[in-house]
PDB file of all heavy atoms in Angstrom:
ATOM      1  N   MET R   1     238.025 114.807 -38.911  1.00 97.00           N
ATOM      2  CA  MET R   1     237.307 115.041 -40.164  1.00 97.00           C
ATOM      3  C   MET R   1     235.808 114.886 -39.929  1.00 97.00           C
ATOM      4  O   MET R   1     235.392 114.005 -39.189  1.00 97.00           O
ATOM      5  CB  MET R   1     237.789 114.031 -41.218  1.00 97.00           C
ATOM      6  CG  MET R   1     237.424 114.393 -42.643  1.00 97.00           C
ATOM      7  SD  MET R   1     237.768 113.083 -43.851  1.00 97.00           S
ATOM      8  CE  MET R   1     239.509 112.744 -43.581  1.00 97.00           C
ATOM      9  N   ILE R  12     234.317 115.860 -67.574  1.00 98.00           N
ATOM     10  CA  ILE R  12     235.182 116.956 -68.016  1.00 98.00           C
ATOM     11  C   ILE R  12     235.951 116.525 -69.267  1.00 98.00           C
ATOM     12  O   ILE R  12     236.608 115.480 -69.270  1.00 98.00           O
ATOM     13  CB  ILE R  12     236.181 117.324 -66.909  1.00 98.00           C
ATOM     14  CG1 ILE R  12     235.459 117.769 -65.635  1.00 98.00           C
ATOM     15  CG2 ILE R  12     237.161 118.398 -67.397  1.00 98.00           C
ATOM     16  CD1 ILE R  12     234.643 119.026 -65.764  1.00 98.00           C
ATOM     17  N   LYS R 209     243.693 115.991 -43.355  1.00 98.00           N
ATOM     18  CA  LYS R 209     244.998 116.250 -43.969  1.00 98.00           C
ATOM     19  C   LYS R 209     244.925 116.386 -45.484  1.00 98.00           C
ATOM     20  O   LYS R 209     245.596 117.232 -46.076  1.00 98.00           O
ATOM     21  CB  LYS R 209     245.971 115.127 -43.603  1.00 98.00           C
ATOM     22  CG  LYS R 209     246.400 115.123 -42.149  1.00 98.00           C
ATOM     23  CD  LYS R 209     247.562 114.136 -41.946  1.00 98.00           C
ATOM     24  CE  LYS R 209     248.296 114.390 -40.647  1.00 98.00           C
ATOM     25  NZ  LYS R 209     247.517 114.063 -39.445  1.00 98.00           N
ATOM     26  N   GLU R 224     251.544 130.799 -58.118  1.00 98.00           N
ATOM     27  CA  GLU R 224     252.604 130.651 -59.126  1.00 98.00           C
ATOM     28  C   GLU R 224     252.146 131.110 -60.497  1.00 98.00           C
ATOM     29  O   GLU R 224     252.854 131.834 -61.198  1.00 98.00           O
ATOM     30  CB  GLU R 224     253.049 129.182 -59.232  1.00 98.00           C
ATOM     31  CG  GLU R 224     253.943 128.712 -58.098  1.00 98.00           C
ATOM     32  CD  GLU R 224     254.274 127.234 -58.215  1.00 98.00           C
ATOM     33  OE1 GLU R 224     254.515 126.737 -59.324  1.00 98.00           O
ATOM     34  OE2 GLU R 224     254.261 126.555 -57.162  1.00 98.00           O
ATOM     35  N   ASP R 237     250.262 126.110 -70.779  1.00 97.00           N
ATOM     36  CA  ASP R 237     250.253 125.370 -69.510  1.00 97.00           C
ATOM     37  C   ASP R 237     249.771 126.236 -68.345  1.00 97.00           C
ATOM     38  O   ASP R 237     249.089 125.747 -67.436  1.00 97.00           O
ATOM     39  CB  ASP R 237     251.634 124.783 -69.215  1.00 97.00           C
ATOM     40  CG  ASP R 237     251.878 123.495 -69.984  1.00 97.00           C
ATOM     41  OD1 ASP R 237     250.899 122.753 -70.232  1.00 97.00           O
ATOM     42  OD2 ASP R 237     253.032 123.222 -70.341  1.00 97.00           O
TER      43      ASP R 237
ATOM     44  N   MET P   1     250.580 120.185 -69.715  1.00 97.00           N
ATOM     45  CA  MET P   1     249.561 119.223 -69.299  1.00 97.00           C
ATOM     46  C   MET P   1     248.985 118.502 -70.521  1.00 97.00           C
ATOM     47  O   MET P   1     248.779 119.126 -71.546  1.00 97.00           O
ATOM     48  CB  MET P   1     248.430 119.963 -68.551  1.00 97.00           C
ATOM     49  CG  MET P   1     247.536 119.051 -67.725  1.00 97.00           C
ATOM     50  SD  MET P   1     246.066 119.889 -67.049  1.00 97.00           S
ATOM     51  CE  MET P   1     246.781 121.248 -66.132  1.00 97.00           C
ATOM     52  N   PHE P   6     237.885 113.482 -67.598  1.00 98.00           N
ATOM     53  CA  PHE P   6     237.702 113.047 -66.204  1.00 98.00           C
ATOM     54  C   PHE P   6     236.226 112.835 -65.947  1.00 98.00           C
ATOM     55  O   PHE P   6     235.400 113.709 -66.235  1.00 98.00           O
ATOM     56  CB  PHE P   6     238.256 114.079 -65.212  1.00 98.00           C
ATOM     57  CG  PHE P   6     238.018 113.667 -63.784  1.00 98.00           C
ATOM     58  CD1 PHE P   6     238.802 112.691 -63.201  1.00 98.00           C
ATOM     59  CD2 PHE P   6     236.985 114.212 -63.033  1.00 98.00           C
ATOM     60  CE1 PHE P   6     238.566 112.273 -61.890  1.00 98.00           C
ATOM     61  CE2 PHE P   6     236.745 113.805 -61.731  1.00 98.00           C
ATOM     62  CZ  PHE P   6     237.540 112.830 -61.158  1.00 98.00           C
ATOM     63  N   ILE P  12     230.037 108.992 -52.688  1.00 98.00           N
ATOM     64  CA  ILE P  12     230.748 108.556 -51.487  1.00 98.00           C
ATOM     65  C   ILE P  12     229.962 108.975 -50.239  1.00 98.00           C
ATOM     66  O   ILE P  12     229.633 110.156 -50.086  1.00 98.00           O
ATOM     67  CB  ILE P  12     232.158 109.185 -51.441  1.00 98.00           C
ATOM     68  CG1 ILE P  12     232.977 108.771 -52.669  1.00 98.00           C
ATOM     69  CG2 ILE P  12     232.872 108.814 -50.135  1.00 98.00           C
ATOM     70  CD1 ILE P  12     233.308 107.310 -52.761  1.00 98.00           C
ATOM     71  N   LYS P 209     250.617 121.382 -62.495  1.00 98.00           N
ATOM     72  CA  LYS P 209     250.918 121.781 -61.116  1.00 98.00           C
ATOM     73  C   LYS P 209     249.932 121.209 -60.113  1.00 98.00           C
ATOM     74  O   LYS P 209     250.315 120.807 -59.018  1.00 98.00           O
ATOM     75  CB  LYS P 209     250.913 123.310 -61.022  1.00 98.00           C
ATOM     76  CG  LYS P 209     252.087 123.989 -61.709  1.00 98.00           C
ATOM     77  CD  LYS P 209     252.114 125.468 -61.334  1.00 98.00           C
ATOM     78  CE  LYS P 209     253.463 126.105 -61.637  1.00 98.00           C
ATOM     79  NZ  LYS P 209     253.764 126.225 -63.062  1.00 98.00           N
ATOM     80  N   GLU P 224     252.670 110.722 -42.995  1.00 98.00           N
ATOM     81  CA  GLU P 224     252.341 111.160 -41.630  1.00 98.00           C
ATOM     82  C   GLU P 224     251.474 110.149 -40.890  1.00 98.00           C
ATOM     83  O   GLU P 224     251.721 109.831 -39.721  1.00 98.00           O
ATOM     84  CB  GLU P 224     251.581 112.499 -41.678  1.00 98.00           C
ATOM     85  CG  GLU P 224     252.461 113.695 -41.965  1.00 98.00           C
ATOM     86  CD  GLU P 224     251.641 114.986 -42.082  1.00 98.00           C
ATOM     87  OE1 GLU P 224     250.696 115.172 -41.318  1.00 98.00           O
ATOM     88  OE2 GLU P 224     251.949 115.784 -42.986  1.00 98.00           O
ATOM     89  N   ASP P 237     240.696 109.847 -36.708  1.00 97.00           N
ATOM     90  CA  ASP P 237     241.111 110.758 -37.781  1.00 97.00           C
ATOM     91  C   ASP P 237     242.217 110.156 -38.639  1.00 97.00           C
ATOM     92  O   ASP P 237     242.267 110.375 -39.852  1.00 97.00           O
ATOM     93  CB  ASP P 237     241.553 112.108 -37.197  1.00 97.00           C
ATOM     94  CG  ASP P 237     240.353 113.002 -36.877  1.00 97.00           C
ATOM     95  OD1 ASP P 237     239.336 112.900 -37.576  1.00 97.00           O
ATOM     96  OD2 ASP P 237     240.447 113.787 -35.923  1.00 97.00           O
TER      97      ASP P 237
END
Side-chain angles (χ1 to χ4, degrees):
Chain R
M1 196 189 305
I12 300 296
K209 290 191 163 69
E224 284 176 40
D237 279 328
Chain P
M1 197 189 304
F6 178 77
I12 300 294
K209 289 190 163 69
E224 284 177 39
D237 279 329

